[in-house]
Amino acid sequence: MEKIYLTMMNADMDAVETENQVELEEKSRLINQVLEVQHTLEDLSARVDTVKEENLKLKSENQILGQYIENLMSASSVFQTPDTKSKRK
């Protein structure tokens, strides 16, 4: 009887140990997934910051180019209305 009891205890302990091992593996897998998602989020956040900076720079350059084009157009007789041309002469 004692031998059967010990065998049952060993089987129960093996089952608990196996269950603990499965839980540890699952926890480890989840931790790795969380870390991977964190790194991905950090990368995306850095990319968003870079794109924002590039966007601001391009907006500024577009404003400068727009002003330059307006100045060229106002200085050129090709873009003047007939009324403006006659006033200059």
Side-chain angles (χ1 to χ4, degrees), residues 5 9 13-14 16 18 21-22 25-26 30 34 42 48-51 55 57 60 63 66 69-70 79 82 84:
Y5 177 73
M9 288 265 308
M13 287 174 61
D14 288 345
V16 168
T18 302
Q21 183 64 30
V22 168
E25 289 173 2
E26 179 67 11
L30 290 173
V34 167
E42 288 171 359
V48 166
D49 290 342
T50 301
V51 169
N55 187 35
K57 188 170 125 179
S60 175
Q63 287 176 340
I69 290 170
E70 282 181 33
F79 296 105
T84 310

Side-chain angles (χ1 to χ4, degrees), residues 18-36:
T18 302
E19 186 177 319
N20 285 343
Q21 183 64 30
V22 168
E23 284 181 19
L24 285 174
E25 289 173 2
E26 179 67 11
K27 285 180 183 179
S28 177
R29 187 182 66 78
L30 290 173
I31 288 170
N32 287 335
Q33 284 181 339
V34 167
L35 291 173
E36 185 178 329

